[in-house]
Amino acid sequence: MTLSPLDDYPVHQAPEVMRHVTTSDRNFYDRYYFNLHGCSDELMLIIGIGQYPNLGVMDAFAVARRGPAHKVVRASRELGDDRMDTRVGPFRVEVLEGLKRLRVVLDDNEHGLSFDLTWEGAIPATLEPPHYLRWQERVVFDSRRLAQTGRWTGSVVIDGERIEITPDRWWGSRDRSWGIRPVGEPEPPGIQVKNTGTFYWLYTPMQFEDHTILCIVQEDDKGRRLLEESVRVWSDETRENEYLGRPEYHPIYVDGTREVSTATIVFSPPGGRPFAVRATPILPVHMMVGTGYGLEPDWKHGMYQGPDLKVQGVSYDTRKEEDAARMWGMVDSVGRYEYLDGAAPTSHDTGYGLYEYWALGPHHSFKD
């Protein structure tokens, strides 16, 4: 066992040093996620920084979608003994004020993407329901996550062009999640080959001028709910969160695909009037291309990349047929959200935020 500076703080949860977690599951992770957008189809930037204590790895990525360009910078190193050290080569995250303000940096590098950004929460950080799934006897998800919408200040540089980021128009959302989920090098599938492969998912932090709706829907192939959330959180911290009941999700797909063109999400708050929000994806980012979320054999979250720091850049042009063909899987899109039929609780009836979805494998709503 090795001590770290964090061991000098009264934060221990178990008779272990702080670099070790209480489970030996190889898939334990602890991660930051951020997104930035201009409430338009101009640019979406997504950033992730994660630790994998039982794999001994820390890695980071940033992906920028601007026009047809899909540009990724990623880095990986051995975790070491100090989990307070959030640097991964040119990446770092700094907590300036817990649950409110953070700084996220990608220093200048040879791959044409860098930034220095400060996040400020627009709503209180909100704890989501636990995510727990057991497939064929194996616990594959057992995690917790906080969510928050907010605004950005700073700058982003893409291929030498500097973009000034001001909070009046550059919004976004973030989460902090930790626990167990599939990470690292592939494991022998064993009995998991019997899984249907369904991952039917919707995650929509909808940011309006004075409030946010946090919505999650996950279903199995028969449409049974595995995880759900719907809550309205006000920027005014004196107002209580409003539970919005069971969310109903009605996507419309582009013909012949599972690409969402628009969707309606219906909320039924207990004792209140049901209402609907129309969601329109306006700038898709394919999260499984280059970032570590996908099936690329040489780079996955938590995958050991050797004893030395490794920093890489990956770029694609979605106008090219071979690059466009790579764009599949989980989509994190800028979404436009509109209250329907005058249901907005204030005068702010149009908002923007993350529209994250995936419809993988069989599901009762598909005929194919």
Side-chain angles (χ1 to χ4, degrees), residues 6-138:
L6 194 54
D7 284 299
D8 240 349
Y9 293 86
V11 294
H12 292 82
Q13 303 290 311
E16 291 276 6
V17 295
M18 288 300 296
R19 67 177 296 191
H20 296 310
V21 295
T22 57
T23 175
S24 61
D25 193 313
R26 70 187 294 278
N27 289 337
F28 187 92
Y29 77 104
D30 204 342
R31 182 181 299 154
Y32 294 91
Y33 165 97
F34 303 89
N35 65 61
L36 171 152
H37 59 81
C39 300
S40 69
D41 62 0
E42 177 183 351
L43 167 68
M44 190 174 197
L45 175 68
I46 298 172
I47 308 154
I49 299 176
Q51 295 184 349
Y52 313 89
N54 292 337
L55 298 175
V57 171
M58 183 169 184
D59 54 29
F61 75 87
V63 53
R65 175 69 191 267
R66 192 183 191 204
H70 178 102
K71 182 182 288 290
V72 178
V73 179
R74 59 197 188 191
S76 177
R77 67 168 173 87
E78 291 187 352
L79 178 57
D81 57 10
D82 185 2
R83 293 188 59 197
M84 291 287 283
D85 183 357
T86 64
R87 295 170 296 175
V88 191
F91 290 91
R92 69 183 183 277
V93 59
E94 303 170 13
V95 178
L96 304 178
E97 185 177 359
L99 304 180
K100 292 185 178 180
R101 296 175 60 246
L102 296 91
R103 182 183 179 207
V104 191
V105 177
L106 172 56
D107 289 328
D108 188 35
N109 58 81
E110 62 181 315
H111 303 295
L113 175 63
S114 61
F115 48 79
D116 189 338
L117 297 164
T118 298
W119 163 272
E120 184 160 3
I123 62 169
T126 304
L127 190 63
E128 296 178 348
H131 194 185
Y132 184 90
L133 289 177
R134 186 187 292 273
W135 292 343
Q136 304 296 340
E137 315 310 326
R138 174 77 180 270

Side-chain angles (χ1 to χ4, degrees), residues 40 45 51 55 60 72 88 95 105 110 131 140 143 157 170 176 215 223 233 240 249 272 319 339:
S40 69
L45 175 68
Q51 295 184 349
L55 298 175
V72 178
V88 191
V95 178
V105 177
E110 62 181 315
H131 194 185
V140 290
S143 61
V157 179
W170 293 97
R176 276 280 294 115
C215 174
V233 183
E240 291 187 9
Y249 175 45
R319 293 170 297 191
Y339 279 97

Side-chain angles (χ1 to χ4, degrees), residues 218-231:
Q218 184 179 6
E219 296 180 350
D220 68 9
D221 58 311
K222 295 178 175 58
R224 291 175 294 211
R225 286 288 165 90
L226 305 175
L227 179 66
E228 69 177 28
E229 171 72 312
S230 64
V231 62

